[in-house]
Amino acid sequence: LIAEAMTVAPVTCRAAESLRIGVARLLRSRVGSVHVHRDDKPVGDVTPQHILAARYDLKSEILDLVR
């Protein structure tokens, strides 16, 4: 069932967190995206495609990928 496959809570990152943290949460949680927020407002999602586009520059801020 779809309901059984869905996570209870979305996986999130603050906009100021590093890409490394976002990647760790994405991999650990086995989800398709990490929701990025600033001041409790959503600003975008980071997907594996965004991570590949970052060219492994894991010093980037996660917010740089959703702009």
Side-chain angles (χ1 to χ4, degrees):
L1 294 170
I2 293 174
E4 293 173 1
M6 295 177 67
T7 58
V8 175
V11 178
T12 65
C13 276
R14 292 186 326 270
E17 290 184 294
S18 70
L19 178 57
R20 184 176 300 275
I21 290 172
V23 169
R25 289 184 184 158
L26 185 79
L27 294 173
R28 185 174 50 243
S29 301
R30 296 183 178 183
V31 295
S33 66
V34 174
H35 305 291
V36 181
H37 62 90
R38 178 177 25 202
D39 300 326
D40 295 323
K41 295 178 184 171
V43 295
D45 294 324
V46 173
T47 66
Q49 183 66 32
H50 289 108
I51 295 163
L52 289 172
R55 297 186 182 127
Y56 302 151
D57 179 13
L58 297 180
K59 295 178 184 176
S60 297
E61 295 298 325
I62 198 158
L63 184 60
D64 294 337
L65 299 179
V66 297
R67 291 185 181 163

Coordinates of all heavy atoms in Angstrom, one line a residue:
L1 N 0.8 -1.2 0.0 CA 0.0 0.0 0.0 C 0.9 1.3 0.0 O 1.9 1.3 0.6 CB -0.9 0.0 1.2 CG -2.0 -1.1 1.3 CD1 -2.6 -1.1 2.7 CD2 -3.0 -0.9 0.3
I2 N 0.4 2.3 -0.6 CA 1.1 3.5 -0.7 C 1.3 4.2 0.7 O 2.3 4.7 1.0 CB 0.4 4.5 -1.7 CG1 0.5 4.0 -3.1 CG2 1.0 5.9 -1.6 CD1 -0.3 4.8 -4.1
A3 N 0.2 4.1 1.5 CA 0.3 4.7 2.8 C 1.4 4.1 3.6 O 2.1 4.8 4.4 CB -1.0 4.6 3.5
E4 N 1.7 2.8 3.5 CA 2.7 2.2 4.2 C 4.1 2.6 3.8 O 5.1 2.6 4.5 CB 2.6 0.6 4.1 CG 1.4 0.1 4.8 CD 1.2 -1.4 4.5 OE1 2.0 -2.0 3.8 OE2 0.2 -1.9 5.0
A5 N 4.3 3.0 2.5 CA 5.6 3.4 2.0 C 5.9 4.8 2.3 O 7.1 5.2 2.2 CB 5.6 3.2 0.4
M6 N 4.9 5.6 2.6 CA 5.2 7.0 2.8 C 5.8 7.2 4.2 O 5.4 6.5 5.2 CB 3.9 7.8 2.7 CG 3.3 7.8 1.3 SD 1.8 8.6 1.2 CE 2.3 10.3 1.5
T7 N 6.7 8.2 4.4 CA 7.2 8.5 5.7 C 6.2 9.3 6.5 O 5.3 10.0 6.0 CB 8.5 9.4 5.5 OG1 8.2 10.6 4.8 CG2 9.6 8.6 4.8
V8 N 6.4 9.2 7.8 CA 5.5 9.9 8.7 C 5.7 11.4 8.6 O 4.7 12.2 8.5 CB 5.6 9.4 10.1 CG1 4.8 10.2 11.1 CG2 5.3 7.9 10.2
A9 N 6.9 11.8 8.7 CA 7.3 13.3 8.7 C 8.2 13.5 7.5 O 9.0 12.7 7.2 CB 7.9 13.7 10.0
P10 N 8.1 14.7 6.8 CA 9.0 15.0 5.8 C 10.4 15.2 6.3 O 10.6 15.6 7.4 CB 8.4 16.3 5.2 CG 7.6 16.9 6.3 CD 7.1 15.7 7.1
V11 N 11.4 14.9 5.4 CA 12.8 15.1 5.7 C 13.1 16.5 5.3 O 12.9 16.9 4.2 CB 13.7 14.1 5.0 CG1 15.1 14.3 5.3 CG2 13.3 12.7 5.4
T12 N 13.7 17.3 6.3 CA 13.9 18.7 6.1 C 15.3 19.1 6.4 O 16.0 18.4 7.1 CB 12.9 19.6 6.9 OG1 13.2 19.4 8.3 CG2 11.5 19.2 6.6
C13 N 15.7 20.3 5.9 CA 17.0 21.0 6.2 C 16.7 22.5 6.3 O 15.8 23.0 5.6 CB 18.0 20.7 5.1 SG 18.9 19.2 5.2
R14 N 17.4 23.1 7.1 CA 17.4 24.6 7.2 C 18.2 25.1 6.0 O 19.1 24.5 5.6 CB 17.9 25.1 8.5 CG 17.1 24.8 9.7 CD 17.6 25.5 11.0 NE 19.0 25.6 11.1 CZ 19.8 24.7 11.6 NH1 19.4 23.6 12.1 NH2 21.1 24.9 11.6
A15 N 17.8 26.2 5.5 CA 18.5 26.8 4.3 C 19.9 27.0 4.5 O 20.7 27.0 3.6 CB 17.8 28.1 3.9
A16 N 20.3 27.3 5.7 CA 21.7 27.6 6.0 C 22.6 26.4 6.2 O 23.8 26.5 6.3 CB 21.8 28.5 7.3
E17 N 22.0 25.2 6.2 CA 22.8 24.0 6.4 C 23.6 23.6 5.2 O 23.2 24.0 4.1 CB 21.9 22.8 6.8 CG 21.3 23.1 8.2 CD 20.5 21.9 8.7 OE1 19.4 21.7 8.2 OE2 20.9 21.3 9.7
S18 N 24.6 22.9 5.4 CA 25.5 22.5 4.3 C 24.9 21.4 3.4 O 24.0 20.7 3.9 CB 26.8 22.0 4.8 OG 26.6 20.7 5.4
L19 N 25.3 21.3 2.2 CA 24.9 20.3 1.3 C 25.2 18.9 1.9 O 24.4 18.0 1.8 CB 25.6 20.4 -0.1 CG 25.3 19.4 -1.1 CD1 23.8 19.3 -1.4 CD2 26.1 19.7 -2.4
R20 N 26.3 18.8 2.6 CA 26.7 17.5 3.2 C 25.6 17.0 4.1 O 25.3 15.8 4.1 CB 28.0 17.7 3.9 CG 28.5 16.4 4.5 CD 29.9 16.6 5.2 NE 30.9 17.0 4.2 CZ 31.6 16.2 3.4 NH1 31.4 14.9 3.5 NH2 32.5 16.8 2.6
I21 N 25.1 17.9 4.9 CA 24.0 17.5 5.8 C 22.7 17.1 5.1 O 22.1 16.1 5.4 CB 23.7 18.7 6.8 CG1 24.8 18.9 7.8 CG2 22.4 18.4 7.6 CD1 24.7 20.1 8.6
G22 N 22.4 17.8 4.0 CA 21.3 17.5 3.2 C 21.4 16.1 2.6 O 20.5 15.3 2.6
V23 N 22.6 15.8 2.0 CA 22.9 14.5 1.4 C 22.8 13.4 2.4 O 22.1 12.4 2.2 CB 24.2 14.5 0.7 CG1 24.6 13.1 0.3 CG2 24.3 15.5 -0.5
A24 N 23.3 13.6 3.6 CA 23.2 12.6 4.7 C 21.8 12.3 5.0 O 21.4 11.1 5.2 CB 24.0 13.1 5.9
R25 N 21.0 13.3 5.2 CA 19.6 13.1 5.5 C 18.8 12.4 4.4 O 18.0 11.5 4.6 CB 18.9 14.4 5.8 CG 19.4 15.0 7.1 CD 18.6 16.2 7.5 NE 19.3 16.7 8.8 CZ 19.2 17.9 9.2 NH1 18.5 18.8 8.5 NH2 19.8 18.3 10.3
L26 N 19.1 12.7 3.1 CA 18.5 12.1 2.0 C 18.8 10.6 2.0 O 18.0 9.8 1.8 CB 19.0 12.8 0.7 CG 18.3 12.3 -0.6 CD1 17.0 12.9 -0.8 CD2 19.2 12.7 -1.8
L27 N 20.1 10.3 2.1 CA 20.5 8.9 2.1 C 20.1 8.1 3.3 O 19.6 7.0 3.1 CB 22.1 8.8 2.0 CG 22.7 9.4 0.7 CD1 24.2 9.4 0.8 CD2 22.2 8.6 -0.5
R28 N 20.2 8.7 4.4 CA 19.8 8.0 5.7 C 18.3 7.7 5.7 O 17.8 6.6 6.1 CB 20.2 8.8 6.9 CG 19.9 8.1 8.2 CD 20.4 8.9 9.4 NE 20.0 10.3 9.4 CZ 20.8 11.3 9.3 NH1 22.1 11.1 9.2 NH2 20.4 12.5 9.3
S29 N 17.5 8.6 5.2 CA 16.0 8.5 5.2 C 15.5 7.7 4.0 O 14.3 7.3 4.0 CB 15.4 9.9 5.2 OG 15.8 10.6 6.3
R30 N 16.3 7.5 3.0 CA 15.9 6.8 1.8 C 14.6 7.4 1.2 O 13.6 6.7 0.9 CB 15.7 5.3 2.1 CG 16.9 4.6 2.5 CD 16.7 3.2 2.7 NE 17.9 2.5 3.0 CZ 18.1 1.2 3.2 NH1 17.0 0.4 3.1 NH2 19.2 0.7 3.5
V31 N 14.6 8.7 1.0 CA 13.5 9.5 0.4 C 14.0 10.1 -0.9 O 15.2 10.1 -1.2 CB 13.0 10.6 1.3 CG1 12.4 9.9 2.6 CG2 14.1 11.5 1.7
G32 N 13.1 10.6 -1.7 CA 13.4 11.2 -3.0 C 13.8 12.6 -3.0 O 14.4 13.1 -3.9
S33 N 13.5 13.3 -1.8 CA 13.9 14.7 -1.7 C 14.0 15.2 -0.3 O 13.4 14.5 0.6 CB 13.0 15.6 -2.5 OG 11.7 15.6 -1.9
V34 N 14.7 16.2 -0.1 CA 14.8 16.9 1.2 C 14.1 18.3 1.1 O 14.5 19.0 0.2 CB 16.2 17.0 1.7 CG1 16.3 17.8 3.0 CG2 16.8 15.7 1.9
H35 N 13.2 18.6 1.9 CA 12.5 19.9 1.9 C 13.4 20.9 2.6 O 13.8 20.7 3.7 CB 11.1 19.8 2.5 CG 10.3 18.7 1.9 ND1 9.7 18.8 0.7 CD2 9.8 17.5 2.4 CE1 9.0 17.7 0.4 NE2 9.1 16.9 1.5
V36 N 13.6 22.0 1.9 CA 14.5 23.1 2.5 C 13.6 24.2 3.0 O 12.7 24.6 2.3 CB 15.5 23.6 1.4 CG1 16.4 24.7 2.0 CG2 16.3 22.4 0.9
H37 N 13.9 24.7 4.2 CA 13.1 25.8 4.7 C 13.9 26.9 5.3 O 15.0 26.6 5.8 CB 12.0 25.3 5.7 CG 12.7 24.6 6.9 ND1 13.0 25.3 8.1 CD2 13.1 23.3 7.2 CE1 13.6 24.5 8.9 NE2 13.6 23.3 8.4
R38 N 13.4 28.1 5.3 CA 14.0 29.2 6.0 C 13.0 29.9 6.8 O 11.9 30.3 6.2 CB 14.7 30.1 5.0 CG 15.3 31.4 5.6 CD 16.0 32.3 4.7 NE 15.5 32.2 3.3 CZ 16.2 32.6 2.3 NH1 17.4 33.1 2.4 NH2 15.7 32.5 1.1
D39 N 13.2 30.2 8.1 CA 12.3 30.8 8.9 C 10.9 30.1 8.9 O 9.8 30.8 8.8 CB 12.1 32.3 8.6 CG 13.4 33.1 8.7 OD1 14.2 32.8 9.6 OD2 13.6 34.0 7.9
D40 N 10.9 28.8 8.9 CA 9.7 28.0 8.9 C 8.9 28.1 7.6 O 7.7 27.7 7.6 CB 8.9 28.2 10.1 CG 9.6 27.8 11.4 OD1 10.3 26.8 11.4 OD2 9.4 28.5 12.4
K41 N 9.5 28.7 6.6 CA 8.8 28.8 5.3 C 9.5 27.9 4.2 O 10.8 28.0 4.2 CB 8.7 30.2 4.8 CG 7.9 31.1 5.7 CD 7.9 32.5 5.3 CE 7.2 33.4 6.3 NZ 7.3 34.8 6.0
P42 N 8.8 27.1 3.4 CA 9.5 26.3 2.4 C 10.1 27.2 1.4 O 9.5 28.2 0.9 CB 8.4 25.4 1.9 CG 7.1 26.2 2.2 CD 7.4 27.0 3.4
V43 N 11.3 26.8 0.9 CA 12.0 27.5 -0.2 C 12.3 26.6 -1.3 O 12.7 27.0 -2.4 CB 13.3 28.2 0.3 CG1 13.0 29.3 1.3 CG2 14.3 27.2 0.9
G44 N 12.2 25.3 -1.2 CA 12.4 24.3 -2.3 C 12.7 22.9 -1.8 O 12.7 22.7 -0.6
D45 N 13.0 22.1 -2.7 CA 13.4 20.7 -2.4 C 14.7 20.4 -3.1 O 15.0 20.9 -4.2 CB 12.3 19.7 -3.0 CG 11.0 19.8 -2.3 OD1 11.0 20.1 -1.1 OD2 10.0 19.7 -3.0
V46 N 15.5 19.5 -2.5 CA 16.7 19.1 -3.0 C 16.6 17.6 -3.4 O 16.2 16.8 -2.5 CB 17.9 19.3 -2.1 CG1 19.2 18.6 -2.6 CG2 18.2 20.8 -1.9
T47 N 16.9 17.2 -4.6 CA 16.8 15.9 -5.1 C 18.2 15.3 -5.4 O 19.1 16.1 -5.5 CB 15.9 15.8 -6.3 OG1 16.6 16.5 -7.4 CG2 14.5 16.4 -6.1
P48 N 18.3 14.0 -5.7 CA 19.6 13.5 -6.1 C 20.1 14.2 -7.4 O 21.3 14.4 -7.5 CB 19.3 12.0 -6.4 CG 18.2 11.7 -5.5 CD 17.3 13.0 -5.4
Q49 N 19.2 14.7 -8.3 CA 19.6 15.4 -9.5 C 20.3 16.7 -9.1 O 21.3 17.1 -9.7 CB 18.4 15.7 -10.3 CG 18.8 16.4 -11.6 CD 19.7 15.5 -12.5 OE1 19.5 14.3 -12.6 NE2 20.6 16.2 -13.3
H50 N 19.8 17.4 -8.1 CA 20.5 18.6 -7.6 C 21.9 18.3 -7.1 O 22.8 19.1 -7.3 CB 19.7 19.3 -6.5 CG 18.4 19.9 -6.9 ND1 17.2 19.3 -6.6 CD2 18.1 21.0 -7.6 CE1 16.2 20.1 -7.1 NE2 16.8 21.1 -7.7
I51 N 22.0 17.2 -6.4 CA 23.3 16.9 -5.8 C 24.3 16.6 -6.9 O 25.4 17.0 -6.8 CB 23.1 15.7 -4.8 CG1 22.2 16.1 -3.6 CG2 24.4 15.1 -4.3 CD1 21.6 15.0 -2.8
L52 N 23.9 15.9 -7.9 CA 24.8 15.6 -9.0 C 25.2 16.9 -9.7 O 26.3 17.1 -10.1 CB 24.1 14.7 -10.0 CG 24.0 13.2 -9.5 CD1 23.2 12.5 -10.6 CD2 25.3 12.6 -9.3
A53 N 24.2 17.8 -9.8 CA 24.5 19.1 -10.5 C 25.5 19.9 -9.7 O 26.2 20.8 -10.2 CB 23.2 19.9 -10.7
A54 N 25.6 19.7 -8.4 CA 26.5 20.5 -7.5 C 28.0 20.0 -7.8 O 28.9 20.6 -7.3 CB 26.2 20.3 -6.1
R55 N 28.1 19.0 -8.6 CA 29.5 18.5 -8.9 C 30.3 18.1 -7.7 O 31.5 18.4 -7.7 CB 30.2 19.5 -9.8 CG 29.5 19.7 -11.1 CD 30.4 20.6 -12.0 NE 29.6 20.8 -13.2 CZ 29.4 22.0 -13.7 NH1 29.8 23.1 -13.1 NH2 28.7 22.2 -14.8
Y56 N 29.6 17.6 -6.7 CA 30.3 17.1 -5.5 C 30.9 18.2 -4.7 O 31.8 18.0 -3.9 CB 31.2 16.0 -5.8 CG 30.6 14.8 -6.5 CD1 31.3 14.0 -7.3 CD2 29.3 14.5 -6.3 CE1 30.8 12.9 -7.9 CE2 28.7 13.4 -6.9 CZ 29.4 12.6 -7.7 OH 28.9 11.6 -8.3
D57 N 30.6 19.5 -5.0 CA 31.1 20.6 -4.2 C 30.3 20.6 -2.9 O 29.4 21.3 -2.7 CB 30.9 21.9 -4.9 CG 31.4 23.1 -4.1 OD1 32.1 22.8 -3.1 OD2 31.1 24.2 -4.5
L58 N 30.7 19.7 -1.9 CA 29.9 19.6 -0.7 C 30.1 20.7 0.3 O 29.6 20.7 1.4 CB 30.3 18.2 0.0 CG 29.9 17.0 -0.9 CD1 30.2 15.7 -0.2 CD2 28.4 17.0 -1.2
K59 N 30.8 21.7 -0.1 CA 31.0 22.9 0.7 C 29.8 23.9 0.4 O 29.7 24.9 1.1 CB 32.3 23.6 0.5 CG 33.5 22.7 1.0 CD 34.8 23.4 0.7 CE 35.9 22.4 1.1 NZ 37.2 23.0 0.7
S60 N 29.1 23.7 -0.6 CA 28.0 24.5 -0.9 C 26.9 24.5 0.2 O 26.8 23.6 0.9 CB 27.3 24.1 -2.2 OG 28.1 24.1 -3.3
E61 N 26.2 25.6 0.2 CA 25.0 25.7 1.1 C 23.9 25.1 0.4 O 23.7 25.1 -0.8 CB 24.7 27.2 1.5 CG 25.8 27.9 2.3 CD 26.1 27.2 3.6 OE1 25.1 26.7 4.2 OE2 27.2 27.2 4.0
I62 N 23.0 24.4 1.1 CA 21.9 23.7 0.5 C 21.0 24.7 -0.2 O 20.4 24.4 -1.2 CB 21.2 22.9 1.6 CG1 20.3 21.8 0.9 CG2 20.3 23.7 2.5 CD1 20.0 20.6 1.8
L63 N 20.9 25.9 0.3 CA 20.0 26.9 -0.4 C 20.5 27.2 -1.8 O 19.7 27.5 -2.7 CB 19.9 28.2 0.5 CG 19.0 29.2 0.0 CD1 17.5 28.7 -0.1 CD2 19.0 30.4 0.9
D64 N 21.8 27.1 -2.1 CA 22.3 27.4 -3.4 C 21.7 26.5 -4.5 O 21.6 26.8 -5.6 CB 23.8 27.2 -3.4 CG 24.5 28.2 -2.5 OD1 24.0 29.3 -2.3 OD2 25.7 28.0 -2.1
L65 N 21.3 25.3 -4.1 CA 20.8 24.3 -5.0 C 19.3 24.5 -5.4 O 18.9 24.1 -6.4 CB 20.9 22.9 -4.5 CG 22.4 22.5 -4.2 CD1 22.4 21.1 -3.7 CD2 23.2 22.6 -5.5
V66 N 18.6 25.2 -4.6 CA 17.1 25.3 -4.9 C 16.8 26.7 -5.5 O 15.6 26.9 -5.7 CB 16.3 25.1 -3.6 CG1 16.5 23.7 -3.1 CG2 16.6 26.1 -2.5
R67 N 17.7 27.5 -5.7 CA 17.5 28.8 -6.3 C 17.4 28.7 -7.8 O 17.9 27.9 -8.5 CB 18.6 29.8 -6.0 CG 18.6 30.1 -4.5 CD 19.6 31.2 -4.3 NE 19.6 31.5 -2.9 CZ 20.6 32.1 -2.2 NH1 21.6 32.5 -2.9 NH2 20.5 32.3 -1.0

